[in-house]
Amino acid sequence: MKHVSIFELVAVGAATAWVSLMPGVSKAVAQQRQAALLAPSRFDGTYSVEAIPKGGAGTCRVSHWTVAVTNGQIASISPNPTNITALGLIESDGVVSMTFHDSQNQIAHIGGTVRGRRGTGTWSSPTLLCGGIWRAEKAK
């Protein structure tokens, strides 16, 4: 029996709700979309991520952390020394959408792409009043 995380269950529930709102989408199509959400992704693995601030009035600094991608779902690896929680998704085309938050509810929104073993993009933090770029590399 395959182990399914709470994040995967939420994703399946969201996909089911989305499909149910689409008129004319068959149950078979809905099931295919759900299966795709739980399927292994070519992006699965462990990534080292570096965030580099670019200007801003906040207190942002360069930071590093590690995330795990399973079935396209991004999650922080626990325990981590900075108590950062990562939640997000890498779409099948490599588009990244992710949010980080720490124990003090500082939030950063991440967007970008992964190509091959590397990812790049931008981030912004409305709570820290800054943003910048990020890059990631998949562990070998």
Side-chain angles (χ1 to χ4, degrees):
M1 178 177 203
K2 180 180 176 180
H3 173 73
V4 178
S5 74
I6 187 67
F7 303 113
E8 292 166 323
L9 290 174
V10 169
V12 168
T16 302
W18 177 82
V19 170
S20 69
L21 295 174
M22 300 299 293
V25 174
S26 71
K27 185 175 179 179
V29 170
Q31 290 171 339
Q32 289 172 346
R33 290 180 192 257
Q34 288 174 350
L37 283 171
L38 298 177
S41 163
R42 64 188 167 116
F43 302 109
D44 287 0
T46 303
Y47 291 79
S48 297
V49 182
E50 177 181 45
I52 304 157
K54 298 286 184 186
T59 59
C60 293
R61 56 181 164 63
V62 174
S63 60
H64 300 86
W65 62 92
T66 304
V67 297
V69 178
T70 306
N71 301 332
Q73 303 291 314
I74 303 168
S76 50
I77 294 178
S78 295
N80 66 56
T82 54
N83 293 317
I84 292 175
T85 301
L87 294 173
L89 176 69
I90 301 178
E91 301 282 346
S92 61
D93 61 358
V95 172
V96 176
S97 178
M98 180 173 34
T99 300
F100 284 94
H101 68 86
D102 66 13
S103 59
Q104 298 171 0
N105 278 333
Q106 305 298 331
I107 297 172
H109 303 289
I110 312 289
T113 56
V114 175
R115 300 283 183 250
R117 303 182 66 76
R118 290 185 168 77
T120 60
T122 59
W123 62 273
S124 64
S125 175
T127 55
L128 294 172
L129 303 175
C130 55
I133 61 170
W134 63 269
R135 56 184 168 227
E137 186 164 352
K138 190 175 184 180
K140 296 180 180 181

